[in-house]
Amino acid sequence: MMCLKCRGFMMFERQYTQDSRRLYARCLNCGFWLDLADLLRFFHQVLEAGLKDLKLRVTIPS
């Protein structure tokens, strides 16, 4: 995976706590990091919204 800031190499890290398990990606060059769970939740919401919109478009013209 490439960094969004500097196009460097990103390394995946897991962080375990008593409450949750997190998966991060951190750039080895500039230190930029990203929470992959939040990113996946965002794309899941976008896809759900698109499917709901698609279903409405199918039912309205009928």
Side-chain angles (χ1 to χ4, degrees):
M1 184 172 173
M2 293 180 67
C3 179
L4 301 173
K5 269 185 154 176
C6 70
R7 300 287 185 207
F9 182 72
M10 294 192 84
M11 179 178 72
F12 298 103
E13 299 176 346
R14 284 188 181 176
Q15 183 180 36
Y16 294 101
T17 61
Q18 288 181 349
D19 298 342
S20 65
R21 293 177 225 159
R22 290 287 193 186
L23 186 62
Y24 296 100
R26 185 176 55 90
C27 179
L28 296 174
N29 189 28
C30 70
F32 176 75
W33 67 274
L34 166 58
D35 186 357
L36 295 175
D38 287 341
L39 190 65
L40 287 174
R41 271 189 228 106
F42 169 74
F43 282 117
H44 183 69
Q45 289 174 354
V46 168
L47 290 174
E48 277 185 353
L51 287 175
K52 287 178 186 174
D53 190 34
L54 180 65
K55 289 178 186 175
L56 288 176
R57 285 187 201 160
V58 170
T59 58
I60 291 172
S62 300

